């Protein structure tokens, strides 16, 4: 039985408190910024003579100075909510992907991974925590306390209003507040239910060692795969792609999902190695590490393919509504746009090709941290340009983002390791456990 280290618990609490303090400081500084200061920021952004819109919503409605200032104010004030939205959606998707990876192991009758099933269950325990934050953000947006989602403004679908947006009017069957609320609740409550159900059935399999109970457990795992397949696509549309509602990509759902799938495998690897080095998971060896490394490398290369396909095809088409999505990221987030490729493609490809490297605990742990960081940056690059625009280069943007990351990391560590301490680390009732204990990679 794992015992939550007092030192690790203390570190997680320090991260939470530090994150709240930094985020709070950034929040109050952000809301203390007046219109004159924001106008100066707007002038600085366009000082180089580049006044092209960084978001397709700026192409609609009045184009005078007052309208541009109003849009700049909204983007600047979005900083705190955008920061916590990025972290919460990333961690929710990561936790759901860990449960998806878990369900695939059971549905495919995989034997090698049984020894680390409890690690995946513990990560999935974070789903309700991240989901609760997402619901709070949803409430803030639908009550117009937040402005992350441009399409929620009722003026944009009113034909008599000067801000009328014909593109959003055509999409309002799907992009409307009541339906958005229902979908968000389905994603959060559904995923939370599956996390609870699969954990309880797994525990029951241990207690009874019954084949009939295992068959039921197997069926619920298949059910989650189906749920995840539909909902991971839809929440990528709702929580991420609808930030830029004039633009869409058929590759986007794969791009967003595979990003957090790679991050979830990296997280499973880090926790498994930590438990191994702490003496709690003696049966975990370099063969299991190698297989996790194979999945991590494969998912990273798959993400690279989706990145290339989405970017190259849209850029090559040169359609203004589509290219505008990339323009804002090139112009104001170029550092993130290209750093993503270094962290998530160039480094993994350079380091992780060798089979022997995948058995090296230090190298693979380092690569796991790099890949998680890189894929958080992917989500940052999906959210920030459409919500904050060019107004991120200031102390308030730094404080809110660093604060949100530290808070999310601290809460994740606290929740996951607390859940892990309540679980029996070895699933004794699983019929494939012996295969996992003696597993040896055949090549």
């Amino acid at each position: 039985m794992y015992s939550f280290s007092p030192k690790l618990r203390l570190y997680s609490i320090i991260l939470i408190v530090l994150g709240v303090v930094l985020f709070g400081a950034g929040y109050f500084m952000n809301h203390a910024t007046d219109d004159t200061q924001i106008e100066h920021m707007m002038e600085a952004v366009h000082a180089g003579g580049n006044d092209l819109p960084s978001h397709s919503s700026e192409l609609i409605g009045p184009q005078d100075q007052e309208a541009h200032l109003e849009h700049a104010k909204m983007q600047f004030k979005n900083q705190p909510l955008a920061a916590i939205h990025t972290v919460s959606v990333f961690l929710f998707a990561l936790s759901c992907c860990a449960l998806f990876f878990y369900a695939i192991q059971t549905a495919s009758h995989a034997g090698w991974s049984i020894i680390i099933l409890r690690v995946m269950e513990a990560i999935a325990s974070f789903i309700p925590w991240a989901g609760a934050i997402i619901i709070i953000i949803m409430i803030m947006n639908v009550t117009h306390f937040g402005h992350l989602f441009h399409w929620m403004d009722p003026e944009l679908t009113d034909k008599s209003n000067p801000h009328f947006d014909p593109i959003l009017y055509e999409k309002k069957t799907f992009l409307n507040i009541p339906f958005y609320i229902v979908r968000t609740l389905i994603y959060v409550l559904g995923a939370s239910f599956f996390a609870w159900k699969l954990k309880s059935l797994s525990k029951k399999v241990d207690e009874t060692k019954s084949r009939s109970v295992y068959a039921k457990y197997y069926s619920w795992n298949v059910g989650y795969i189906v749920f995840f397949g539909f909902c991971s696509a839809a929440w990528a549309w709702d929580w991420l792609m609808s930030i830029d509602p004039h633009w869409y990509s058929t590759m986007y759902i794969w791009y967003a999902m595979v990003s957090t799938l790679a991050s979830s495998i990296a997280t499973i690897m880090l926790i498994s190695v930590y438990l191994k080095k702490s003496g709690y998971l003696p049966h975990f060896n370099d063969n299991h590490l190698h297989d996790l490394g194979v999945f991590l490398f494969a998912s990273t290369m798959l993400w690279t393919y989706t990145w290339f396909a989405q970017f190259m095809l849209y850029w090559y088409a040169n359609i203004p509504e589509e290219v505008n999505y990339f323009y804002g990221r090139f112009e104001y987030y170029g550092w993130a746009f290209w750093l993503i490729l270094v962290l998530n493609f160039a480094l993994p490809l350079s380091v992780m090709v060798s089979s022997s490297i995948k058995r090296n605990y230090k190298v693979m742990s380092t690569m796991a941290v790099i890949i998680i960081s890189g894929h958080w940056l992917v989500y940052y690059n999906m959210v920030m340009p459409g919500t904050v625009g060019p107004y991120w280069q200031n102390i308030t943007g730094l404080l809110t983002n660093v604060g949100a990351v530290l808070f999310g990391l601290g809460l994740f560590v606290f929740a996951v390791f607390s859940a892990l301490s309540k679980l029996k680390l070895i699933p004794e009732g699983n019929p494939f456990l012996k295969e996992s204990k003696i597993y040896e990679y055949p090549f």
Side-chain angles (χ1 to χ4, degrees), residues 123-436:
I123 295 171
S125 297
F126 193 71
I127 291 174
W129 294 78
I133 298 172
I134 288 171
I135 288 175
I136 292 170
I137 294 172
M138 175 199 73
I139 293 170
M140 294 174 71
N141 280 299
V142 301
T143 56
H144 304 294
F145 185 79
H147 302 282
L148 296 185
F149 300 98
H150 178 67
W151 57 265
M152 287 187 179
D153 187 345
E155 293 183 351
L156 302 177
T157 51
D158 181 359
K159 290 185 176 181
S160 62
N161 195 288
H163 293 92
F164 174 70
D165 189 330
I167 294 176
L168 296 188
Y169 181 79
E170 292 298 323
K171 295 183 177 182
K172 72 174 186 177
T173 303
F174 184 81
L175 291 181
N176 62 79
I177 288 175
F179 196 18
Y180 173 82
I181 294 172
V182 170
R183 291 195 303 270
T184 296
L185 291 176
I186 289 172
Y187 310 148
V188 172
L189 298 179
S192 299
F193 168 77
F194 273 104
W196 166 80
K197 186 67 177 178
L198 292 177
K199 187 192 292 186
S200 63
L201 283 173
S202 177
K203 184 178 179 182
K204 195 171 181 181
V205 168
D206 274 4
E207 293 170 349
T208 63
K209 295 182 173 58
S210 165
R211 289 302 174 91
S212 61
V213 174
Y214 182 81
K216 187 177 179 182
Y217 167 69
Y218 175 90
S219 299
W220 277 99
N221 275 277
V222 173
Y224 177 71
I225 293 173
V226 175
F227 170 85
F228 178 86
F230 283 103
C231 289
S232 63
W235 75 52
W237 295 332
D238 282 327
W239 298 339
L240 297 169
M241 194 161 71
S242 76
I243 287 171
D244 300 270
H246 285 205
W247 178 84
Y248 71 92
S249 166
T250 53
M251 295 295 296
Y252 195 90
I253 57 175
W254 293 101
Y255 177 76
M257 187 277 281
V258 175
S259 178
T260 45
L261 178 61
S263 302
S264 68
I265 295 170
T267 305
I268 293 166
M269 180 184 292
L270 281 176
I271 296 175
S272 299
V273 170
Y274 169 79
L275 292 174
K276 167 74 173 180
K277 296 301 182 182
S278 301
Y280 290 105
L281 209 59
H283 297 292
F284 181 84
N285 56 45
D286 54 359
N287 295 291
H288 302 99
L289 181 68
H290 178 274
D291 273 22
L292 281 174
V294 168
F295 278 106
L296 181 59
F297 182 70
S299 58
T300 300
M301 293 303 106
L302 177 58
W303 173 85
T304 305
Y305 166 74
T306 61
W307 182 94
F308 176 81
Q310 180 174 261
F311 167 69
M312 191 61 189
L313 295 178
Y314 276 75
W315 192 258
Y316 184 78
N318 197 30
I319 300 171
E321 288 286 354
E322 297 172 350
V323 176
N324 183 267
Y325 178 86
F326 294 104
Y327 170 77
R329 286 157 175 79
F330 271 151
E331 187 65 28
Y332 304 113
Y333 293 82
W335 62 274
F337 194 84
W338 296 114
L339 184 57
I340 282 167
L341 275 186
V342 174
L343 298 178
N344 297 332
F345 170 61
L347 284 176
L349 184 63
S350 302
V351 174
M352 293 172 59
V353 172
S354 169
S355 185
S356 60
I357 286 292
K358 295 186 184 76
R359 296 170 177 269
N360 188 304
Y361 285 85
K362 288 183 179 179
V363 172
M364 292 307 296
S365 297
T366 302
M367 288 307 304
V369 172
I370 289 171
I371 288 170
I372 293 168
S373 303
H375 285 291
W376 169 80
L377 198 57
V378 169
Y379 271 62
Y380 177 90
N381 197 48
M382 287 195 283
V383 173
M384 291 295 165
T387 55
V388 175
Y391 305 104
W392 64 271
Q393 300 181 65
N394 43 68
I395 188 64
T396 59
L398 177 64
L399 289 175
T400 51
N401 276 287
V402 172
V405 169
L406 294 180
F407 171 77
L409 177 60
L411 186 62
F412 182 82
V413 170
F414 184 85
V416 169
F417 282 90
S418 293
L420 201 58
S421 66
K422 299 172 185 175
L423 296 171
K424 193 176 180 181
L425 278 185
I426 307 300
E428 298 291 350
N430 193 294
F432 296 95
L433 177 62
K434 183 179 178 181
E435 181 181 339
S436 186

